[in-house]
Amino acid sequence: HRVRKLGSSVSLETAFRWNLDRDAMADLKIKTYYTFAKFPNPMIVEIFAREKGIDLFANEKQVDAPGLENRNAEHLARNPAGQLPYLELEDGTVIAETISICEWLEEVKPEPAFIGSTPEKRAVARMWQRRMEEHFVYPTFYSVRFWTASDDCTGPLKNFFAQRNKILIPGAWKEMQAWALSRLEWLEEVKKGSPSDYIAGDEMTV
Amino acid sequence: HRVRKLGSSVSLETAFRWNLDRDAMADLKIKTYYTFAKFPNPMIVEIFAREKGIDLFANEKQVDAPGLENRNAEHLARNPAGQLPYLELEDGTVIAETISICEWLEEVKPEPAFIGSTPEKRAVARMWQRRMEEHFVYPTFYSVRFWTASDDCTGPLKNFFAQRNKILIPGAWKEMQAWALSRLEWLEEVKKGSPSDYIAGDEMTV
């Protein structure tokens, strides 16, 4: 038995634990799941898929993102935004963007629901996902990216995003971080006294 | 006959032109549509609704956003993010965030489809919506907001967002603008030779 972590091929033992259904997966018509295991975005897609019992690893292709393979001509022809992960379906459809992939997985395998089981539950989950994305996720992302281009960054990530983002604003990284933190403080305030530990509703959602 | 513009109550003539179906709207169970007609976000929701024949104006309540009414205790209790527009349904569900509202409208009235008529078309529309949102819409929004807090802004919008955003980064407004413009240049390059005038697919989508 192989022990595995997110992003490499799956053992039968792990597949059992995650309730992966390889037969059902054939219906999804996924040709290739392009990813890089060490990035944070694929982790969202992979946890989302596994909790649904969807086996993305059967069609997984690891891409050398640190070596910029995801930004070579072959990948850009499929996914011009150059990011990972993305799906290529058997009919040639390419689905990129983490949350769009999750939405598609939810549509082709609705149960268990991690966006929501009714239009209203989905609306509330999407509302909260967006509230946290605009004011927490993006400012956090770009704070880190801008920081790598600043004099404050001296470690291995120095200039990591120089070839990945056309515009980096090193002078703004601390304020972007403050923006992200202010959203967490807002969230704590809004959720004060809430009976639920979840940001959206009282079940696990995207 | 009254001539109207987006955001005020609707004339029969306009309702006919937009094919609004007030009877069908009763099924949507919308209690109140809170909005401010002069803001850009409601315009997305309202165009989206009208093209579907959904009459939001029947339950519309204009909120004095310039006077910060949307950030008073009553509104924050329903929509703690404080933004407009948002929907309150008859069962008390609150749906805020422009795109989440559009997603809900699409679910409760799927035709005509402006996100998409299949999971794959919806995935592609959402992917493109997100591609443009992260690197064009948000940098544009925040460029303007940051500019209003900078010495470069001397007009009526000066400090307009001071009470609306906890963190403004006036020194970054020009670079945010350059970021947004770089996305348009990227889009032009990606779409070069495309037979479609649309960003996503070959039909109008969100």
Side-chain angles (χ1 to χ4, degrees):
Chain A
H1 297 300
R2 287 146 57 212
V3 175
R4 72 182 304 281
K5 53 180 184 165
L6 278 168
S8 49
S9 61
V10 69
S11 69
L12 281 180
E13 190 181 39
T14 305
F16 182 76
R17 185 165 61 82
W18 283 88
N19 191 31
L20 299 180
D21 181 352
R22 283 176 185 261
D23 289 338
M25 291 315 99
D27 296 336
L28 294 191
K29 302 189 187 310
I30 294 173
K31 185 179 169 193
T32 311
Y33 170 59
Y34 294 99
T35 189
F36 176 66
K38 290 179 182 172
F39 277 179
N41 281 6
M43 208 177 290
I44 297 176
V45 169
E46 288 166 28
I47 291 172
F48 195 93
R50 285 198 198 187
E51 289 286 345
K52 280 186 170 294
I54 294 175
D55 178 14
L56 291 176
F57 303 116
N59 300 74
E60 172 189 290
K61 186 164 182 203
Q62 291 286 326
V63 180
D64 177 20
L68 292 169
E69 183 188 353
N70 52 317
R71 290 170 194 273
N72 71 19
E74 185 195 327
H75 281 281
L76 290 183
R78 284 188 294 258
N79 177 25
Q83 292 151 329
L84 294 171
Y86 71 91
L87 291 178
E88 186 179 18
L89 306 186
E90 286 175 8
D91 70 359
T93 302
V94 169
I95 309 174
E97 297 295 322
T98 297
I99 301 297
S100 305
I101 296 172
C102 292
E103 288 269 6
W104 182 78
L105 293 173
E106 182 95 344
E107 294 206 32
V108 294
K109 194 163 192 299
E111 298 294 334
F114 296 114
I115 295 174
S117 54
T118 69
E120 290 69 38
K121 284 185 179 177
R122 286 191 285 276
V124 170
R126 288 172 180 140
M127 169 179 75
W128 274 106
Q129 193 276 327
R130 290 188 155 271
R131 280 175 173 165
M132 298 311 295
E133 179 173 276
E134 178 177 351
H135 297 284
F136 175 68
V137 177
Y138 287 145
T140 302
F141 264 23
Y142 289 102
S143 175
V144 171
R145 289 180 182 217
F146 294 173
W147 165 77
T148 62
S150 78
D151 292 340
D152 298 310
C153 177
T154 53
L157 279 175
K158 181 77 178 173
N159 291 325
F160 182 83
F161 295 99
Q163 291 174 275
R164 291 169 170 84
N165 286 83
K166 279 197 178 163
I167 306 287
L168 292 163
I169 316 175
W173 82 260
K174 285 180 189 173
E175 290 155 303
M176 297 292 276
Q177 186 186 61
W179 181 2
L181 284 172
S182 77
R183 194 56 159 191
L184 289 188
E185 288 159 5
W186 170 85
L187 181 67
E188 296 267 351
E189 188 63 29
V190 169
K191 288 287 167 184
K192 197 179 282 179
S194 165
S196 170
D197 286 337
Y198 294 100
I199 292 177
D202 49 12
E203 293 165 57
M204 190 177 86
T205 60
V206 69
Chain B
H1 297 303
R2 288 146 57 212
V3 176
R4 71 182 304 281
K5 52 181 187 166
L6 277 169
S8 50
S9 62
V10 69
S11 69
L12 283 178
E13 190 182 38
T14 304
F16 181 77
R17 184 165 60 81
W18 282 90
N19 190 31
L20 299 180
D21 181 351
R22 281 173 186 265
D23 290 337
M25 290 316 99
D27 296 337
L28 295 191
K29 302 189 187 310
I30 294 173
K31 186 179 167 194
T32 312
Y33 170 60
Y34 294 98
T35 188
F36 176 65
K38 292 179 180 171
F39 277 179
N41 280 7
M43 207 177 292
I44 297 176
V45 168
E46 289 166 27
I47 292 172
F48 194 94
R50 285 196 198 189
E51 290 285 346
K52 280 185 171 293
I54 295 175
D55 178 14
L56 291 177
F57 303 116
N59 300 74
E60 172 188 291
K61 187 164 181 203
Q62 291 286 325
V63 180
D64 177 20
L68 292 170
E69 184 188 353
N70 52 317
R71 290 168 195 271
N72 71 19
E74 185 195 327
H75 281 281
L76 290 182
R78 284 188 293 258
N79 177 24
Q83 292 151 326
L84 293 171
Y86 70 90
L87 291 179
E88 185 180 15
L89 306 186
E90 286 175 8
D91 71 358
T93 302
V94 169
I95 309 174
E97 297 293 322
T98 297
I99 301 298
S100 306
I101 296 171
C102 292
E103 288 269 8
W104 182 77
L105 293 173
E106 181 96 345
E107 295 205 33
V108 294
K109 196 164 189 300
E111 297 294 333
F114 296 115
I115 295 174
S117 55
T118 68
E120 290 68 38
K121 284 184 178 177
R122 286 191 285 276
V124 169
R126 288 173 181 138
M127 170 179 73
W128 274 105
Q129 192 276 327
R130 290 188 155 273
R131 280 175 174 166
M132 298 311 295
E133 179 173 277
E134 179 178 350
H135 297 284
F136 175 69
V137 177
Y138 286 145
T140 302
F141 264 22
Y142 289 102
S143 176
V144 171
R145 289 181 181 216
F146 295 171
W147 166 76
T148 63
S150 78
D151 292 342
D152 298 308
C153 176
T154 54
L157 280 175
K158 180 75 178 176
N159 289 326
F160 182 82
F161 293 99
Q163 291 176 274
R164 291 170 171 82
N165 286 82
K166 280 198 178 163
I167 305 287
L168 293 162
I169 316 175
W173 83 262
K174 285 181 189 172
E175 289 155 302
M176 296 293 276
Q177 187 186 60
W179 182 2
L181 284 171
S182 77
R183 194 56 160 192
L184 290 188
E185 289 160 4
W186 169 84
L187 181 66
E188 296 269 351
E189 187 63 30
V190 169
K191 289 285 166 184
K192 197 179 281 176
S194 165
S196 170
D197 285 337
Y198 294 99
I199 292 176
D202 49 12
E203 295 165 56
M204 190 176 87
T205 59
V206 69

